């Protein structure tokens, strides 16, 4: 793997200019509503979050799970895993008026003090949505020529980020949802997954905010209201012209590097 980091790499930013007439996959075709947090009771950080995320954010928290038999995590860290990801440009996101309104609403929310705001600058150059996880461990995978040809044939992919989203796995992490363009009956992100031999997915998430504690009833209701309000509201539309093979030794990709950039298109 190279030691290349996103902030030092030329051409990191995806092209933020996207066709205005493009159509996107709908909720009926994607899995976001099915995978939404159940907000009927106070939100408690789930076990997967307390094992993989909380140790990196608040290692002294009494609900941290430092390790578990059969899992490779040790205080949130694990062997380096390589995944195929769709990069997201933080500068373009920060320039979006809609996103700035969303972040202002989060900062005014009653649970704002439980968001790890100090984490955001540490991850701004590695924001992404995972398309194919765990393609290799310790060493980056070899990408076969036929896969590269499939990526060239797929070409650049336009996506729209919407949110806020809170899922039923890794409760405690707040995401933006990726809505890919629709090409006839084809979802290009699923075509990319098929090229890597993976089954078709139906949700792709940009992890952005992390909670450092459980929410009480009032805080949970406020989060649910924000999720409802921002559901399907566009925050950023851009055309991705490359994907990354990203290697990381933790799920927040704090210790990460790009092993390879894979172009979409010729």
């Amino acid at each position: 793997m190279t030691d290349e980091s996103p902030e030092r790499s030329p051409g990191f930013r995806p092209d933020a200019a996207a066709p205005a007439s493009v159509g996107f996959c709908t909720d009926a075709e994607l899995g976001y509503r099915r995978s939404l947090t159940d907000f009927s009771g106070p939100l408690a950080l789930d076990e997967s979050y307390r094992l993989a995320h909380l140790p990196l954010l608040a290692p002294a928290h009494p609900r941290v799970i430092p390790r578990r038999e059969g899992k490779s995590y040790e205080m949130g860290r694990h062997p380096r895993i390589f995944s195929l990801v769709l990069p997201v440009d933080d500068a373009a996101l920060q320039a979006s008026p809609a996103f700035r309104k969303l972040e202002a609403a989060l900062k005014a929310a009653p649970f704002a003090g439980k968001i790890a705001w100090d984490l955001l600058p540490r991850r701004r150059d590695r924001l992404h949505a995972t398309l194919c996880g765990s393609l290799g461990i310790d060493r980056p995978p070899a990408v076969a020529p036929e896969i590269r040809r499939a990526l060239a044939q797929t070409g650049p992919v336009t996506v729209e980020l919407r949110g806020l989203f809170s899922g039923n796995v890794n409760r405690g992490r707040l995401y933006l949802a990726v809505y890919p363009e629709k090409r006839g009956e084809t979802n290009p992100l699923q075509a990319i997954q098929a090229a890597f031999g993976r089954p078709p997915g139906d949700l792709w998430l940009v992890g952005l905010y992390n909670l450092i504690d459980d929410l009480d009833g009032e805080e949970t209701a406020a989060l649910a209201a924000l999720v409802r309000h921002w559901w399907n509201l566009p925050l950023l539309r851009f055309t991705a012209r490359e994907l990354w093979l990203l290697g990381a030794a933790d799920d927040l990709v704090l210790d990460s590097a790009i092993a390879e950039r894979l172009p979409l298109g010729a």
Side-chain angles (χ1 to χ4, degrees):
M1 186 183 76
T2 72
D3 63 353
E4 180 182 21
S5 63
E7 62 270 27
R8 294 184 305 200
S9 304
F12 165 58
R13 295 181 183 177
D15 182 0
S21 60
V22 68
F24 295 94
C25 295
T26 66
D27 279 338
E29 301 163 288
L30 301 175
Y32 295 113
R33 292 199 178 276
R34 181 195 70 239
S35 304
L36 187 62
T37 294
D38 178 2
F39 291 114
S40 60
L43 185 149
L45 308 179
D46 68 7
E47 289 191 6
S48 60
Y49 187 89
R50 291 160 51 211
L51 177 68
H53 295 255
L54 194 59
L56 302 170
L57 303 166
H61 194 287
R63 283 177 34 86
V64 158
I65 301 175
R67 65 195 62 83
R68 173 153 288 162
E69 186 177 353
K71 301 288 185 179
S72 59
Y73 293 93
E74 180 68 33
M75 286 301 289
R77 293 174 173 82
H78 52 65
R80 189 166 297 275
I81 295 174
F82 293 85
S83 300
L84 181 75
V85 306
L86 174 80
V88 173
D89 180 14
D90 179 73
L93 190 59
Q94 296 295 333
S96 162
F99 175 75
R100 291 199 299 269
K101 288 180 181 178
L102 167 61
E103 189 155 277
L106 281 169
K107 289 180 176 178
F111 57 87
K114 294 181 178 179
I115 294 176
W117 295 105
D118 60 329
L119 179 67
L120 271 62
R122 300 166 61 193
R123 299 187 69 252
R124 64 164 51 106
D125 294 317
R126 59 205 75 189
L127 296 183
H128 67 274
T130 299
L131 304 185
C132 302
S134 300
L135 291 173
I137 298 177
D138 292 331
R139 300 177 64 179
V143 180
E146 57 268 26
I147 296 178
R148 297 179 189 274
R149 287 194 293 270
L151 297 180
Q153 292 169 359
T154 299
V157 177
T158 299
V159 303
E160 193 166 78
L161 301 186
R162 305 175 192 172
L164 192 66
F165 179 82
S166 174
N168 54 16
V169 177
N170 279 337
R171 282 195 316 272
R173 197 169 201 197
L174 306 179
Y175 303 85
L176 305 183
V178 174
Y179 285 75
E181 66 173 290
K182 190 170 182 180
R183 300 175 181 173
E185 297 303 312
T186 302
N187 176 331
L189 296 188
Q190 291 179 341
I192 291 168
Q193 290 176 316
F196 280 83
R198 294 297 178 87
D202 61 4
L203 70 164
W204 299 276
L205 298 167
V206 181
L208 200 57
Y209 303 102
N210 284 75
L211 300 176
I212 55 174
D213 208 347
D214 302 328
L215 301 186
D216 63 23
E218 177 188 358
E219 293 165 339
T220 300
L223 174 58
L226 282 173
V227 169
R228 286 194 300 270
H229 177 80
W230 288 94
W231 194 274
N232 262 334
L233 293 182
L235 302 175
L236 177 67
R237 181 182 295 187
F238 65 92
T239 299
R241 303 187 181 279
E242 67 177 19
L243 304 175
W244 293 346
L245 274 178
L246 190 68
D250 63 84
D251 285 11
L252 293 178
V253 297
L254 299 176
D255 174 17
S256 65
I258 302 168
E260 188 174 356
R261 297 167 180 271
L262 300 173
L264 292 168

